Amino acid sequence: MSHRHARFRIPLRLLAVTTLAVAVGGATVPAAAGQEPARAAVPVGAAAGTATPLPGYLIQTSAQVGDDAAVSKPGFPTTGWYPVESRSTVFAGLLRNGKYSDPFYSTNMKNVPKLDFAVPWWYRTDLKLDDTSSRTYLDFSGVLSKADVWVNGTRVATKDQVNGAYTRHDLDITDQVRTGVNSVAFKVYPNDPNKDLSMGWIDWAQTPPDQNMGIVRDVLVRRGGPVALRGGHVVTNLALPGLKHADLTVKADVRNDSANAVRATVSGTVAGRPISQTVSLAAKEKKTVTFPVVGIDDPKVWWPAGMGEQPLHDLVLTADVSGSTSDTSRSRFGIRDVKAPLNSSGGRQYSINGRPLLIRGGGWSPDLFLRWDVRNVADKLAYVKDLGLNTVRLEGHIEPDEFFDLADSMGILTMPGWECCDKWEGQVNGDEPGEKWTAADYPIAKASMTGEAERLRNHPSVVSFHIGSDFAPDAKIEKNYLDALKDADWPAPVVPSAKTNSSPQLGRSGMKMNGPYDWIPPNYWYDKAHSNAGGAWNFNSETSAGPDIPTMDTLKRMMTSGELETLWKNPSAPQYHRSSSSTFGNLKLYGDALSGRYGSPADLPDYVRKAQLAQYENVRAEFESHARNYTDSSNPSTGLIYWMLNSPWTSLHWQLFDAYLDQNGAYYGAKKANEPLHIQYSYDSKSVVVVNSTPAAAKGLTARAQLFDLDGTEKFSQTKAGLSVGGDGAKATALTIPSVSGLSTTYLAKLVLTDAAGKEVSRNVYWLSTKPDTLDWAKTDWYYTPTKSYADLSGLNKLGKATVDVTAKSAEGTDGTTTTTVTLKNTTGGRLPAFYVDSHVVDANGKPVLPVRWNDNAVSLWPGESTTLTATYRTADLGGSAPSVRVSGWNTGTQTIPAR
């Protein structure tokens, strides 16, 4: 970011409503701190080809351990050790054991002593083997960021070998294990992202006190015969255009770990077609086996959501030696073609299966303590689809296998890559954070690239890899990365940088990182005249207007009453829940704009409701401007990554939804802007444009634009019938709103799009001012452009009271979900609209039921108008209570009604 600043698959059962969770549970270790934890050894199967994930560990600081070898011997006393799950940082494990207060609340995390994590911590577990005739391996990555590995009192790898969060290790421990109980221990050393090729938090949030030291991916215990089968993958070649044929080339690494020469037969199926190959291997020899090409006519092709289906195919391989199974391999893959060349304007233009697409995405963040919760991740990815987005960018923090399994099955594109502002770019980033590389770092970086390339190459959702973020790698680093990617048969584009940089082999990035990262007005996004700014042109790899204040429900869960008082009264005050960066340490720019445009907040509720309006209009304009400019003939917008999609904790900035999955103005602004067939207003030209993101052209449309004074008087109305607009992001200008005299300083614009049958297909309401926001472009900085004068939207404070009738009912589905239907009707006599009416499903205690998917929300209705909203959520999240609906409007007050 541009600031100074062995495949193990779980069975996935997506619910019918994809906004909700995947029903997959995680391992738990039910022992409390201070007790003698249960020490039952994990049984490990003897069958060749089995892979057993370690379900958890006991952890303890090395300050309490005097003999390293003793820790990994069976029977070692573990009284006072802390039970943790299979993927756990030290701090996450201690939180799980009740060691600290909720770090998401107030400044609790500040009080955690960092010296507790300045020494290594031990991760220990026991295994039970009933048979040692099979070979035994430890297969893992995800150690932050280095560790000694011990088995039964023998150190089998040192921290110089197990170094780097993404390096993969396949340790043969056959000679160390025995029948019965065996002990495995990892001595994990402190993590420092400025010194280690690891993971850091840059300026996204406050850094955890342990800097995420720990083990955050599964450690697999593999069993097998003399020949190990690794790295099975499929190189796909899809015929373009037409998609009528695909060639599949299967490859796999076959390794003889025995002391004798062997002859192995590797056979199996790819997409249901049989394959087989025999290979001779000398003692300790490894070969890559390439199978004959398998051709498929009329293949089932993988598409992103909204463009087609997401079929996946199986690759199943078995290595046999002397008639016995030695090892097995199973993986899934998709057939698709992705390209991302530079267009004539220098922007990177992605295409899938020959069809170009506008990348509309957000920057992904895992949990601050890297806690893995597959249901929570599935909920977040479902929000991505609900928002109308198609992509998430992972700047570092490249998630476990299940994340990409979910993205594959849900049709969400992913853009993984290395992160900025720490060791990853230390060799090329001048005086920014991150130490210069030593000779030892180059092989770690290359091994990291190899590990991730081999892990991700089969996933059709992965559409590129960023080998640089704020900087591009130099020639030596780039060559190592590209060599590793080539050797891994990497199938997707490689991008040298997320910024306007070049690397020696790849050339220009085709991306820009001009900001902003803090508040700017909505009309900023339509600018194409300033090459150092972040308007809707080229591929914008990360950008937003900064702060995204959560709902009142979330604010009360994350801050004390005193902190909330400071939040609305003193924008210049430091905000712990914004960022560790001094640049983003307070909310002054945002607070000044909120008061300057909407009027000074009267109290906390007024501050929060104004924040929701400000976020809605800004995020909507950001996405709408890029969608409108996507098909420009000159310097089009080709991609937008909203910075960020979500926050790793309870935050005040860079999020379309909050840590508890509540949806604020930013969420609904993005959802509105990204609806498939959409009518929108242009802040720069006052044109009314229809954008069609669906695959098929739309015909016979009618667009209507109306302007209203705040007393409800209609001041302008114009209709355009017979509109047609092509698919895949095409646009059509319906009309341009002329100058209208006599408007109130603050006024409303209502846009409605109907289809050939007269059915409303898109509705969009804007609050505008006859006094525009004026930017001071000459003073543009890397994170924002100052505003000389603000638009006047303060008239909204005088909007008369409107009345909304609400009815609601709920019905339980057969898939564990409930759907609540809410009908809103403006029954106000006269002309006043019910403005920005927001609905929440709540339980018996008034707590929002989350996650939830609304078909629409934050709506505005004129007298006599009504709308029906639906909310779908997990029935269990009601906690046994009956649902109610809380409806709040800008000028309607708040009412809560039963929704039985």
Side-chain angles (χ1 to χ4, degrees):
M1 132 153 246
S2 178
H3 307 154
R4 300 236 182 255
H5 55 104
R7 266 320 263 202
F8 169 67
R9 293 187 176 277
I10 55 174
L12 300 178
R13 293 189 292 117
L14 287 173
L15 294 180
V17 182
T18 59
T19 38
L20 304 176
V22 202
V24 181
T28 58
V29 188
Q35 295 179 337
E36 175 77 19
R39 289 181 290 172
V42 179
V44 176
T50 58
T52 305
L54 298 180
Y57 309 90
L58 300 175
I59 69 169
Q60 184 58 269
T61 173
S62 63
Q64 295 189 19
V65 175
D67 184 348
D68 284 6
V71 176
S72 64
K73 292 179 179 178
F76 179 80
T78 54
T79 301
W81 286 50
Y82 301 95
V84 303
E85 295 182 335
S86 59
R87 307 170 189 180
S88 179
T89 65
V90 173
F91 186 67
L94 296 177
L95 280 174
R96 182 180 180 276
N97 283 274
K99 182 77 171 175
Y100 304 110
S101 300
D102 179 7
F104 277 27
Y105 181 72
S106 186
T107 57
N108 284 347
M109 196 166 65
K110 264 187 177 181
N111 302 322
V112 176
K114 295 181 180 179
L115 286 177
D116 288 354
F117 313 103
V119 298
W121 278 69
W122 282 98
Y123 283 63
R124 186 191 188 285
T125 193
D126 287 335
L127 313 173
K128 185 177 181 181
L129 301 180
D130 292 333
D131 187 324
T132 57
S133 61
S134 295
R135 303 194 71 83
T136 305
Y137 307 86
L138 293 178
D139 181 355
F140 62 93
S141 63
V143 174
L144 274 69
S145 69
K146 57 179 75 73
D148 298 328
V149 185
W150 293 76
V151 177
N152 290 340
T154 299
R155 186 167 60 183
V156 296
T158 70
K159 63 183 175 63
D160 294 326
Q161 297 166 303
V162 179
N163 192 329
Y166 300 104
T167 55
R168 184 169 179 176
H169 308 277
D170 191 6
L171 304 180
D172 188 340
I173 59 171
T174 303
D175 292 342
Q176 284 74 44
V177 296
R178 61 199 181 205
T179 301
V181 175
N182 298 264
S183 297
V184 175
F186 290 78
K187 186 179 184 180
V188 180
Y189 288 79
N191 180 42
D192 185 342
N194 284 325
K195 297 179 179 178
D196 305 316
L197 291 168
S198 182
M199 303 179 192
W201 285 105
I202 319 171
D203 48 10
W204 303 4
Q206 300 293 342
T207 298
D210 69 340
Q211 296 202 83
N212 292 138
M213 68 184 297
I215 301 175
V216 298
R217 292 181 182 169
D218 283 340
V219 175
L220 302 180
V221 182
R222 293 192 179 275
R223 306 301 301 280
V227 170
L229 192 58
R230 299 288 189 266
H233 65 285
V234 184
V235 179
T236 63
N237 185 5
L238 180 62
L240 299 176
L243 314 180
K244 294 297 185 181
H245 184 84
D247 286 332
L248 310 181
T249 302
V250 175
K251 296 184 180 183
D253 292 334
V254 185
R255 189 181 69 214
N256 177 14
D257 288 332
S258 75
N260 302 306
V262 297
R263 185 173 174 84
T265 298
V266 183
S267 60
T269 58
V270 57
R273 278 73 169 175
I275 55 175
S276 184
Q277 187 99 335
T278 299
V279 58
S280 296
L281 297 165
K284 305 299 182 182
E285 183 181 13
K286 182 180 83 170
K287 290 182 179 179
T288 298
V289 174
T290 301
F291 293 82
V293 173
V294 174
I296 299 179
D297 292 329
D298 298 316
K300 294 181 179 180
V301 176
W302 188 95
W303 292 95
M307 297 181 74
E309 300 300 318
Q310 295 81 45
L312 296 170
H313 309 275
D314 291 315
L315 171 63
V316 181
L317 297 173
T318 299
D320 289 324
V321 176
S322 301
S324 298
T325 297
S326 182
D327 205 355
T328 62
S329 170
R330 178 183 290 271
S331 59
R332 307 199 82 190
F333 66 98
I335 299 172
R336 63 97 174 92
D337 177 273
V338 56
K339 292 183 173 63
L342 304 186
N343 63 19
S344 59
S345 301
R348 193 167 290 272
Q349 173 64 67
Y350 281 79
S351 67
I352 298 288
N353 302 330
R355 285 169 56 186
L357 78 159
L358 171 65
I359 295 292
R360 301 186 308 274
W364 176 267
S365 175
D367 172 77
L368 187 62
F369 313 117
L370 305 185
R371 294 172 293 191
W372 177 253
D373 182 336
V374 71
R375 190 173 81 166
N376 180 261
V377 170
D379 289 338
K380 292 174 182 176
L381 289 176
Y383 272 13
V384 172
K385 291 180 68 173
D386 186 51
L387 284 162
L389 305 179
N390 55 29
T391 305
V392 292
R393 178 183 166 213
L394 295 88
E395 183 187 349
H397 300 288
I398 306 175
E399 293 278 44
D401 293 339
E402 296 96 322
F403 177 91
F404 296 96
D405 293 340
L406 284 167
D408 291 345
S409 63
M410 298 171 73
I412 297 171
L413 304 177
T414 64
M415 290 181 168
W418 308 132
E419 66 195 48
C420 87
C421 313
D422 57 21
K423 182 71 172 188
W424 283 102
E425 294 185 344
Q427 190 63 16
V428 294
N429 66 3
D431 59 357
E432 292 203 12
E435 290 187 359
K436 296 295 183 184
W437 286 24
T438 66
D441 294 314
Y442 290 89
I444 295 171
K446 185 174 183 179
S448 300
M449 188 75 264
T450 295
E452 291 305 282
E454 291 181 348
R455 189 173 71 94
L456 301 178
R457 61 191 167 191
N458 269 352
H459 288 284
S461 60
V462 179
V463 292
S464 57
F465 197 98
H466 282 76
I467 59 172
S469 180
D470 290 24
F471 295 85
D474 62 21
K476 182 177 180 179
I477 297 173
E478 181 190 38
K479 183 180 186 305
N480 278 341
Y481 287 152
L482 295 183
D483 286 350
L485 288 161
K486 181 181 179 181
D487 289 345
D489 293 319
W490 181 252
V494 181
V495 183
S497 174
K499 201 173 184 178
T500 309
N501 291 319
S502 299
S503 63
Q505 291 190 54
L506 295 175
R508 292 180 297 167
S509 69
M511 296 192 169
K512 68 173 184 179
M513 195 188 284
N514 297 347
Y517 297 96
D518 213 323
W519 191 87
I520 43 80
N523 62 350
Y524 171 99
W525 300 110
Y526 289 84
D527 172 74
K528 290 177 75 170
H530 299 88
S531 61
N532 63 335
W537 51 272
N538 202 281
F539 193 114
N540 205 331
S541 67
E542 50 181 64
T543 188
S544 76
D548 285 307
I549 304 300
T551 62
M552 186 72 80
D553 296 293
T554 292
L555 286 171
K556 288 181 176 179
R557 292 179 71 176
M558 62 185 269
M559 300 172 77
T560 67
S561 58
E563 289 166 346
L564 291 173
E565 190 83 355
T566 300
L567 177 67
W568 75 270
K569 283 185 175 179
N570 186 6
S572 298
Q575 288 292 345
Y576 186 69
H577 284 266
R578 187 166 184 207
S579 173
S580 59
S581 164
S582 59
T583 303
F584 305 115
N586 61 44
L587 293 166
K588 178 171 172 50
L589 292 175
Y590 181 82
D592 288 350
L594 207 64
S595 295
R597 300 174 85 242
Y598 287 96
S600 298
D603 49 28
L604 178 62
D606 191 42
Y607 174 85
V608 174
R609 71 175 191 150
K610 286 175 177 174
Q612 304 317 310
L613 284 190
Q615 289 153 197
Y616 187 109
E617 61 165 342
N618 214 313
V619 174
R620 175 177 59 182
E622 181 175 349
F623 281 103
E624 286 182 339
S625 61
H626 286 75
R628 189 200 71 175
N629 290 0
Y630 171 52
T631 52
D632 284 0
S633 58
S634 175
N635 205 6
S637 164
T638 58
L640 168 65
I641 301 295
Y642 185 88
W643 208 249
M644 295 176 67
L645 172 73
N646 64 304
S647 176
W649 74 324
T650 44
S651 179
L652 298 171
H653 80 159
W654 294 347
Q655 57 189 355
L656 292 177
F657 51 88
D658 65 41
Y660 301 117
L661 303 185
D662 205 352
Q663 302 154 334
N664 61 18
Y667 188 100
Y668 290 114
K671 181 176 170 70
K672 177 60 65 177
N674 292 312
E675 60 186 357
L677 185 59
H678 179 63
I679 189 169
Q680 63 186 60
Y681 170 80
S682 304
Y683 279 83
D684 57 344
S685 63
K686 297 186 178 181
S687 61
V688 175
V689 177
V690 177
V691 176
N692 180 15
S693 299
T694 70
K699 300 178 180 179
L701 304 173
T702 299
R704 186 184 186 193
Q706 296 169 278
L707 304 185
F708 298 89
D709 276 351
L710 289 184
D711 64 1
T713 302
E714 182 182 88
K715 304 294 288 187
F716 171 82
S717 179
Q718 187 172 330
T719 300
K720 175 67 174 180
L723 277 173
S724 296
V725 57
D728 283 345
K731 69 184 174 196
T733 299
L735 58 96
T736 298
I737 298 174
S739 296
V740 176
S741 60
L743 278 172
S744 53
T745 303
T746 306
Y747 63 97
L748 302 177
K750 180 170 74 168
L751 311 181
V752 175
L753 184 70
T754 53
D755 63 15
K759 179 184 176 182
E760 185 177 297
V761 292
S762 179
R763 176 189 182 94
N764 211 346
V765 175
Y766 295 79
W767 40 106
L768 303 169
S769 176
T770 56
K771 178 188 175 187
D773 293 291
T774 304
L775 289 141
D776 191 352
W777 293 106
K779 295 182 180 178
T780 295
D781 205 338
W782 67 270
Y783 65 100
Y784 86 117
T785 297
T787 304
K788 290 181 179 179
S789 60
Y790 298 114
D792 185 356
L793 301 173
S794 62
L796 292 171
N797 296 315
K798 300 177 182 178
L799 193 61
K801 185 173 178 57
T803 302
V804 172
D805 281 356
V806 183
T807 59
K809 60 181 181 180
S810 299
E812 288 190 32
T814 59
D815 57 358
T817 67
T818 292
T819 297
T820 295
T821 302
V822 183
T823 300
L824 307 174
K825 183 174 183 179
N826 184 343
T827 56
T828 307
R831 299 171 298 195
L832 283 176
F835 180 60
Y836 199 86
V837 181
D838 172 77
S839 301
H840 268 76
V841 177
V842 296
D843 63 16
N845 297 316
K847 180 182 177 182
V849 178
L850 300 169
V852 63
R853 182 185 68 182
W854 290 90
N855 67 321
D856 196 7
N857 211 333
V859 298
S860 295
L861 300 170
W862 270 253
E865 290 184 333
S866 64
T867 190
T868 299
L869 309 179
T870 58
T872 307
Y873 48 92
R874 282 187 291 267
T875 306
D877 289 341
L878 284 165
S881 66
S884 295
V885 176
R886 185 182 68 210
V887 177
S888 302
W890 178 269
N891 61 330
T892 67
T894 299
Q895 53 184 309
T896 302
I897 66 164
R900 296 181 176 84

